[in-house]
Amino acid sequence: MTSTTKLEQLLDELVRPALRAHGGDAELVSFQDGILRLRMLGQCAGCPAATMTNETLIEGQLMPLLPDLKEVILVHTVDDSLLAQARAKMQRARAHGQS
């Protein structure tokens, strides 16, 4: 049986470095009945390529090492840091429009 500690270790070694190279990250939400749920963070949150990232990077890296892993599901939320970046851009745009 795979533990969350083992999953976190594998995510740190095999998945997160690639996500961080693109300004993102992944948070382990849960692992139950062979289903791993991950929340994409940073630039990866809401990214159109997140589904491909799931299939090619995460499942491709983890499934061969974890026989009890059946599926990886991405929990889609918008990361707070991404919202803050969007708000800052909108404020700058408004300030430019009022000058």
Side-chain angles (χ1 to χ4, degrees):
M1 182 108 182
T2 302
S3 69
T4 55
T5 303
K6 173 81 171 172
L7 279 167
E8 286 287 357
Q9 177 187 1
L10 290 172
L11 288 169
D12 280 343
E13 293 172 7
L14 303 173
V15 175
R16 288 185 175 122
L19 297 176
R20 288 177 180 151
H22 295 276
D25 205 344
E27 173 186 27
L28 193 154
V29 174
S30 67
F31 182 66
Q32 187 174 12
D33 299 324
I35 299 173
L36 173 61
R37 294 181 192 279
L38 295 174
R39 179 175 294 114
M40 302 303 274
L41 304 172
Q43 297 295 323
C44 295
C47 173
T51 301
M52 189 174 76
T53 299
N54 177 40
E55 292 171 358
T56 59
L57 175 68
I58 300 170
E59 288 182 350
Q61 292 288 327
L62 299 180
M63 285 183 145
L65 302 173
L66 304 169
D68 54 335
L69 178 60
K70 298 175 190 168
E71 184 178 8
V72 176
I73 296 175
L74 299 181
V75 178
H76 296 284
T77 58
V78 177
D79 184 69
D80 288 339
S81 66
L82 193 57
L83 283 173
Q85 289 176 20
R87 285 186 189 109
K89 286 181 181 182
M90 289 174 63
Q91 288 174 347
R92 285 193 300 272
R94 274 190 233 133
H96 264 70
Q98 294 175 354
S99 302

